[in-house]
Amino acid sequence: MSEQGGARARVDDGGRAGVEEAHAGLHAILDDLATLIENARTMPMSASVLVHRGDALALVDELRAALPEQLAHADEVLAEADAVLEDSHRQAEETLATARARALELVQKEQVVVQAQSRAHEIVEEAERSAEALRRDADDYCDRQLADFEVDLGKVLAQVQAGRAKLAGRLEGALPAAPSPFPSTMAPRGPERASR
């Protein structure tokens, strides 16, 4: 087994139970992918490296598997905010119902009715402000998490594409013309990309 394969096995032995471990697992996978590229054997007189395709693709598969856990955590945060909002509305409606019942009993005392309605409106407004703040916080958290994932995945994709382009350039120079093994969306784009 290669060094990278051993490192991957060590990460796998830790497990990824729970949302926080899934977040740590995502960063561990990205670290392992970076280590795989950094420790890859270099080509003589070149900045190009040879990356074991199976190891790299296994790490990409692990990234794909870890992302749904992160998105599920974001969904849990949003669901919690929705539950708080719903509970606040329920409490506000109960307070309004209590105020209305009390107002009916004290219909002769107009000032008490006005105060009860005013207090009920304050509670509703406060509950809505609180729920909106929670929803904003949850949305901000989700957006930050997704932005972090986007940056990390962008870096990994750029490294993988650069490595594949260099490999493709060497393969084109070393072998007679043959159909490309790359999917059409990932096919090398010419010598100018291979020279980077």
Side-chain angles (χ1 to χ4, degrees), residues 83-105:
V84 169
L85 178 62
E86 185 178 340
D87 188 55
S88 298
H89 276 296
R90 183 186 55 74
Q91 289 179 10
E93 286 170 5
E94 288 174 4
T95 303
L96 275 173
T98 302
R100 287 185 184 124
R102 183 71 177 144
L104 287 174
E105 293 172 10

Side-chain angles (χ1 to χ4, degrees), residues 45-101:
M45 302 181 71
S46 170
S48 300
V49 296
L50 292 175
V51 176
H52 188 275
R53 184 185 313 200
D55 289 349
L57 291 176
L59 290 171
V60 170
D61 287 342
E62 285 186 47
L63 280 171
R64 286 187 181 132
L67 277 176
E69 294 177 24
Q70 297 296 318
L71 295 176
H73 177 60
D75 287 343
E76 288 173 13
V77 171
L78 286 174
E80 185 175 309
D82 287 339
V84 169
L85 178 62
E86 185 178 340
D87 188 55
S88 298
H89 276 296
R90 183 186 55 74
Q91 289 179 10
E93 286 170 5
E94 288 174 4
T95 303
L96 275 173
T98 302
R100 287 185 184 124

Side-chain angles (χ1 to χ4, degrees), residues 77-78 132 134-144:
V77 171
L78 286 174
E132 182 58 30
L134 281 170
R135 180 176 285 281
R136 273 196 312 273
D137 289 347
D139 287 346
D140 288 344
Y141 173 80
C142 293
D143 185 60
R144 285 193 308 272

Side-chain angles (χ1 to χ4, degrees), residues 117-189:
Q117 288 176 338
S118 174
R119 180 65 184 138
H121 286 299
E122 287 173 9
I123 290 172
V124 169
E125 289 172 2
E126 184 178 335
E128 288 176 346
R129 282 193 303 271
S130 175
E132 182 58 30
L134 281 170
R135 180 176 285 281
R136 273 196 312 273
D137 289 347
D139 287 346
D140 288 344
Y141 173 80
C142 293
D143 185 60
R144 285 193 308 272
Q145 291 298 311
L146 291 173
D148 288 347
F149 300 156
E150 183 178 17
V151 168
D152 291 342
L153 289 176
K155 290 176 183 176
V156 170
L157 181 60
Q159 290 175 349
V160 170
Q161 286 176 338
R164 292 188 75 194
K166 288 178 183 178
L167 264 174
R170 284 198 304 273
L171 289 173
E172 285 177 354
L175 298 174
S180 173
F182 300 106
S184 60
T185 58
M186 299 297 289
R189 296 186 184 151

